[in-house]
Amino acid sequence: MDRLHQLEYCKICQHRKFDSQQGIICKLTAAKADFEESCDRFEIDQANIEKQKQRATGEHKERLSFGFSPRQTDSVLYGDLTPEQAYVLAWETVQKLGWETGYSSASGFVAYTGFSLASWSEEVQVKVGIARIDLKSECTGNQPFDWGKNRRNIEDFRKTFEKLHRSFDVEMLAEKYNELSVQFAADIDQLDHPPLIKKGKITSVFSLFVPQKGYFVTPIIVMLNVLVFLLMIAFGVSPLLPDGEQLLHWGANFRPYTLDGQGWRLITHLFVHIGVFHLLMNMYALVYIGLLLEPYLGKTRLAFAYLLSGIVGGATSVFWHEFEVSAGASGAIFGLYGVFLAMLTTNLMEKSARKSLLISIGVFVFYNLANGMKAGIDNAAHIGGLVSGLLIGYAYYPELKTPNLKLKYATMGALLLVASAGSLVLMRNSIERDFAHYQADMQKFARMEEEALGLYRMQPNSSDEQILAEIENNGIKNWEASIALLDSVDHYELPSGLHDHIHKLRLYCDLRLKSYGAISRAISEKTRKYDTAIMNYNAAIEDILREMGATQDEN
C-alpha cells in the first residue's frame, strides 16, 4: 500500500504537506508520500476508522444498479488486523458465501457468485489495503439492470466478514496466508486483468464510440453501422420500419439477387438494419461481446471473425430462405459469441471466470436463438454465424496459446478457404433446391391449368348459369392462382431460358384471365360486343402457345 494511503489511517501523522521538490510529503518523516514502500513509523488510527465506519453506516446506498454494465462499489473497514490477516478473512468470507475464487494476487482476488434468476452471476473484485477492503460487484451478463443483486453481494460480504472478524485466530490466519500466497501471480497483478475489466471503461454513451487499447475495432464497427443507418434516414428511408425495396437498395441480402451476381450483398447486409430498434439491440450485443473478446483476440482476429462469420451467416440465410429480405449484423455478432463460447471451453482463461461467463453467454445465446423462432427473424443467419464462430474460435486457439505471427495468418487463410468453400456449397445447394422446387411448382401449375380449362370441356347444352359458375369458380380462380405461382417461381435461381419460359407462361395466364373476363361479361350482359376482344385474346394465346412449342422443340 502506498504511503499516501497510509497517511489516511496513520495515528502518528495525520497531516500532509506539499513540497516544491517532492510533491505531497509526510509531515512527520518529510518523505515523499507516494512511495511504494510502507512507512516504518506507521501506526493505525483506530478512532479514525470507527468514525469512518459510523459515517458509512449512515450513508444511503442505492440498491438497484442499471446501465451498460451494472455494478456497485463499496469498502469494508477494519482496524485491528494486518492487511495479510484481512486478506485471509476476506478469502474465508468468499468461501463461506459459496462464491468461486478466481484470479489472485498479493493485493486481492476476484470471485464469482452463482447463477440466479436476478442475474447471470456477478464478478466480485476484492482489493485489500490498509485498514479497508475495496469491493466491486459487477454483472457478467449483458442485462441492463441488476435488481439489487450487486448491493446484496456487498452487504452479504460485509456481514459475513464482520462475523468472522469477531472470532479469528492469529496463528491460523498467518498459516492460511502462507498457503494462499503460493497462488499469487509472480509476473503480473492478475487482479487488474479480469475478463470484465474493459466493461468498466464504458462510463458514458460517448465512450462506446472511442477506440482504445483492447477496444479498437469494435467501436469502429459500431460507428460504421450507425453511419450507414443515418445515411439511410438522410436519403428518405423510414427510421422505424423500412420496406423491403428500401433495404434492397442499400444492400440487404435477398436470395434471388445475391445468387444473380450480387454476392457483395453477403457483406453489405451486415451494416444495414431494419429500423432503429433493430440497430440498438444489435449494437448493444456487439459492444458487450466486443469488450469481452477483443482484449483476447486483438484487432485483426476480431475484424476477421466478424466479417467471416457474417458472410457464412448470410450464405446460410440464402440457402434457407427463398424470398426473405435479410439485413443486420446479428449473424456476425452471433459469430463473435460463438468464438467466445469456444474460448470458454479451453484453458485460455482462469477456470472460475470461464464457468461464470459460460453460463451468462450460454443463456444469452439460447434465449436469442429461441426468440429467433418468431416470424420475421432470420434465425438461419444466427445459426450459421454461431456455428462458424465456434469453428473460428477453436481454430484460433493454438495461436492464441502460443502466439506466432505466421501461424496467425496461416490460420486465417485456412479459415477463409473453408468458409468460402462452405458458402459456395450452400449457394450451389440452394440453386439445386430451386430447380427441384421449380419442377414441383410446374406440376402444380399444370394441374391448375387443366382445371381452369374445364370451361372448354363443358357440354354444348350447358346453361348460362353453369358456364358463369365454371368461369368464376374454376376458371378465373385458377388463372389468378397460376399468375401468383409463376411470380413466385420467377424468383428462383434458374437458367435464363427457364425464366423466359416463365415470363411467357405469365403472359399466357394473363391473356386467359382477360379472355375469361370478357366471356363472363358477354354472357351476363347478353351481348356480342366483346366478340372481337375475345377473338384477339384467343389469337394472342395461340401465338404464345406456338412460340413456346417451337422453343421446346429447339431445346
Side-chain angles (χ1 to χ4, degrees):
M1 178 56 59
D2 62 44
R3 193 167 296 168
L4 185 60
H5 194 180
Q6 283 190 341
L7 286 173
E8 186 176 354
Y9 300 103
C10 185
K11 183 177 181 180
I12 298 176
C13 177
Q14 298 178 12
H15 303 283
R16 65 195 79 178
K17 65 180 182 179
F18 181 78
D19 180 81
S20 59
Q21 299 295 323
Q22 300 185 75
I24 298 175
I25 63 171
C26 170
K27 192 174 182 180
L28 176 66
T29 62
K32 191 175 180 182
D34 57 355
F35 280 178
E36 292 182 2
E37 294 81 8
S38 300
C39 177
D40 294 335
R41 303 180 66 174
F42 172 77
E43 185 177 341
I44 198 159
D45 186 355
Q46 187 66 36
N48 183 29
I49 293 173
E50 292 301 324
K51 187 186 300 181
Q52 292 197 39
K53 280 185 179 181
Q54 292 176 7
R55 185 169 65 246
T57 303
E59 289 179 357
H60 172 70
K61 305 291 185 180
E62 294 291 340
R63 300 204 62 82
L64 179 66
S65 299
F66 63 93
F68 183 80
S69 185
R71 57 185 174 268
Q72 287 268 349
T73 60
D74 210 338
S75 298
V76 175
L77 300 173
Y78 65 89
D80 55 344
L81 299 171
T82 66
E84 291 78 12
Q85 291 170 339
Y87 190 109
V88 175
L89 284 183
W91 184 277
E92 292 298 321
T93 296
V94 165
Q95 306 304 312
K96 202 83 171 176
L97 290 170
W99 300 348
E100 288 199 47
T101 50
Y103 300 101
S104 64
S105 69
S107 63
F109 56 89
V110 176
Y112 295 90
T113 67
F115 178 84
S116 70
L117 293 178
S119 182
W120 302 342
S121 177
E122 295 81 42
E123 179 185 273
V124 181
Q125 290 189 36
V126 182
K127 288 192 174 184
V128 182
I130 296 292
R132 77 180 185 196
I133 298 172
D134 293 324
L135 301 171
K136 181 176 76 170
S137 178
E138 181 173 5
C139 295
T140 60
N142 63 349
Q143 70 269 32
F145 297 94
D146 71 349
W147 307 112
K149 190 68 169 64
N150 285 307
R151 174 50 54 184
R152 286 197 297 273
N153 289 338
I154 290 176
E155 294 305 323
D156 288 346
F157 181 96
R158 185 193 310 278
K159 292 175 183 176
T160 306
F161 180 87
E162 290 175 352
K163 184 177 180 181
L164 292 175
H165 187 188
R166 290 192 292 268
S167 59
F168 71 92
D169 180 270
V170 175
E171 293 184 3
M172 183 276 290
L173 292 181
E175 183 179 342
K176 183 65 177 179
Y177 184 81
N178 290 332
E179 293 177 9
L180 294 175
S181 63
V182 177
Q183 305 174 26
F184 296 163
D187 55 339
I188 187 170
D189 192 342
Q190 294 277 23
L191 195 62
D192 293 329
H193 299 272
L196 303 187
I197 188 66
K198 282 296 175 183
K199 286 180 67 181
K201 302 295 184 182
I202 303 302
T203 56
S204 65
V205 174
F206 177 74
S207 61
L208 294 173
F209 303 95
V210 180
Q212 54 185 279
K213 185 178 180 181
Y215 179 69
F216 189 88
V217 170
T218 303
I220 292 176
I221 297 174
V222 171
M223 286 189 287
L224 285 174
N225 278 277
V226 173
L227 177 62
V228 170
F229 186 74
L230 293 176
L231 286 173
M232 290 171 65
I233 295 175
F235 282 89
V237 176
S238 170
L240 296 178
L241 195 63
D243 59 42
E245 186 176 347
Q246 292 173 325
L247 294 170
L248 289 172
H249 177 75
W250 282 88
N253 194 18
F254 186 48
R255 179 173 173 176
Y257 288 9
T258 304
L259 293 179
D260 191 27
Q262 299 182 26
W264 46 267
R265 291 181 179 274
L266 293 177
I267 296 177
T268 56
H269 87 282
L270 300 175
F271 301 92
V272 178
H273 285 82
I274 310 173
V276 64
F277 297 111
H278 186 211
L279 174 71
L280 290 175
M281 287 189 294
N282 273 353
M283 294 304 99
Y284 185 89
L286 173 60
V287 169
Y288 174 77
I289 192 62
L291 285 166
L292 291 174
L293 190 58
E294 190 170 344
Y296 292 97
L297 294 187
K299 299 187 289 288
T300 307
R301 295 187 198 89
L302 185 119
F304 182 82
Y306 178 87
L307 290 173
L308 196 63
S309 56
I311 291 171
V312 174
T316 307
S317 179
V318 167
F319 170 77
W320 193 260
H321 300 294
E322 295 177 2
F323 309 119
E324 185 172 308
V325 176
S326 174
S330 55
I333 294 169
F334 264 87
L336 296 182
Y337 276 86
V339 173
F340 199 54
L341 281 173
M343 291 175 59
L344 290 173
T345 62
T346 68
N347 60 355
L348 287 172
M349 297 181 196
E350 195 276 328
K351 183 178 178 181
S352 296
R354 292 201 310 266
K355 181 179 178 181
S356 176
L357 287 168
L358 190 59
I359 292 173
S360 62
I361 297 295
V363 169
F364 174 84
V365 170
F366 176 80
Y367 170 80
N368 281 277
L369 286 178
N371 189 55
M373 302 300 290
K374 296 179 181 178
I377 298 179
D378 189 4
N379 225 15
H382 295 172
I383 295 171
L386 178 65
V387 172
S388 61
L390 286 167
L391 296 176
I392 292 170
Y394 286 121
Y396 279 168
Y397 173 74
E399 192 273 324
L400 287 171
K401 191 68 175 175
T402 308
N404 182 293
L405 194 61
K406 290 183 178 179
L407 180 58
K408 172 183 174 180
Y409 290 109
T411 299
M412 292 196 296
L415 284 169
L416 181 61
L417 289 174
V418 172
S420 299
S423 297
L424 288 173
V425 168
L426 287 173
M427 307 277 250
R428 181 179 178 82
N429 285 342
S430 65
I431 293 174
E432 292 175 354
R433 191 173 63 172
D434 276 358
F435 188 73
H437 287 173
Y438 165 79
Q439 291 178 314
D441 286 342
M442 286 299 98
Q443 292 175 1
K444 183 178 180 180
F445 169 80
R447 291 193 297 270
M448 289 191 295
E449 181 191 27
E450 179 71 16
E451 189 173 346
L453 291 173
L455 173 67
Y456 297 102
R457 295 192 297 273
M458 294 185 70
Q459 296 298 322
N461 59 350
S462 298
S463 65
D464 288 351
E465 289 76 13
Q466 289 175 322
I467 294 173
L468 288 173
E470 178 66 25
I471 290 173
E472 291 296 328
N473 297 332
N474 292 323
I476 293 177
K477 176 182 175 182
N478 279 292
W479 291 128
E480 289 176 343
S482 296
I483 290 172
L485 177 65
L486 291 170
D487 287 342
S488 173
V489 172
D490 196 33
H491 286 102
Y492 292 158
E493 181 64 22
L494 300 166
S496 59
L498 289 181
H499 280 292
D500 291 340
H501 181 68
I502 293 167
H503 297 160
K504 290 172 183 175
L505 284 176
R506 174 68 166 74
L507 179 58
Y508 162 76
C509 292
D510 189 56
L511 289 169
R512 284 289 192 191
L513 185 60
K514 291 177 179 178
S515 173
Y516 275 38
I519 294 171
S520 177
R521 289 190 296 274
I523 295 174
S524 298
E525 299 172 16
K526 299 186 183 302
T527 180
R528 301 188 66 84
K529 68 179 181 180
Y530 298 105
D531 287 1
T532 301
I534 293 171
M535 289 177 61
N536 289 336
Y537 289 141
N538 289 337
I541 289 169
E542 291 297 326
D543 289 341
I544 291 177
L545 290 174
R546 279 195 297 272
E547 186 178 347
M548 287 193 295
T551 304
Q552 290 174 348
D553 290 340
E554 291 173 4
N555 292 337

